[in-house]
Amino acid sequence: MRLFSVLALLFALSGPAFAVDPSERLADPALEARARQISEELRCLVCQNQSIDASDAQLAKDLRVIVRERITAGDSDDQVRDFLVDRYGEFVLLRPRAHGVGLLLWVLPLALLLVAGGGLFIAFRRRTASPEAERLSPEEEAALKALSREDDGRANI
């Protein structure tokens, strides 16, 4: 049973390794490493939340080939990413860039957290801010005692 579990785990972890076809690989190990690193940052447009490096979809394969062609042509990593963003839009990046709508995606969660934290702070502060305001004035205490005496007199009847 233990051997089966180990084999199943190894097979599950080796999934991304089977996605890149050996015919796609570049002969130069340094260029291939760059291509793999870029491919891990690009979203498979069919699989949505999987990198093209780990996807078996035909579109992911086509994108991997484009990445390798651009690297072989001498493009830098940023030029390869920019080429794909120009062609497919910002959605092709697994981590959106911090400008335009991407900036909103990076800043909005932090802003919401700060607003919620501020609201909770103000709510708790108001709740415990002035215990004196909840106390009765001497006149109100006297009136309350007078009313309670009246109620005591009626309860005995």
Side-chain angles (χ1 to χ4, degrees):
M1 185 67 174
R2 182 177 245 182
L3 178 63
F4 178 73
S5 299
V6 170
L7 289 175
L9 179 64
L10 286 175
F11 182 74
L13 293 175
S14 65
F18 296 126
V20 177
D21 192 315
S23 64
E24 297 174 28
R25 294 191 177 134
L26 297 173
D28 184 355
L31 293 179
E32 179 61 25
R34 278 183 55 207
R36 294 295 293 260
Q37 193 268 331
I38 293 171
S39 295
E40 289 173 358
E41 298 173 3
L42 299 173
R43 180 186 321 271
C44 174
L45 301 172
V46 175
C47 309
Q48 302 286 324
N49 287 324
Q50 189 176 20
S51 72
I52 64 170
D53 196 50
S55 175
D56 288 329
Q58 183 61 40
L59 180 60
K61 179 181 179 183
D62 295 342
L63 290 173
R64 287 192 302 266
V65 169
I66 290 171
V67 167
R68 283 163 174 77
E69 287 173 355
R70 303 299 297 190
I71 288 174
T72 305
D75 287 358
S76 70
D77 294 359
D78 288 334
Q79 288 173 324
V80 173
R81 282 187 213 92
D82 290 341
F83 175 80
L84 291 169
V85 167
D86 289 343
R87 195 168 190 184
Y88 296 102
E90 284 279 329
F91 186 72
V92 78
L93 299 175
L94 277 172
R95 288 179 218 99
R97 294 177 178 168
H99 73 277
V101 175
L103 182 62
L104 183 65
L105 292 174
W106 285 102
V107 172
L108 190 60
L110 179 61
L112 289 175
L113 185 65
L114 289 174
V115 168
L120 286 173
F121 176 76
I122 290 170
F124 284 125
R125 189 164 180 220
R126 283 185 182 168
R127 179 173 248 179
T128 61
S130 58
E132 296 85 25
E134 295 177 13
R135 291 188 182 156
L136 298 176
S137 67
E139 295 85 21
E140 291 171 329
E141 284 183 25
L144 183 60
K145 285 181 183 177
L147 286 173
S148 65
R149 278 189 228 127
E150 286 178 14
D151 284 342
D152 285 343
R154 287 188 190 154
N156 293 333
I157 298 178

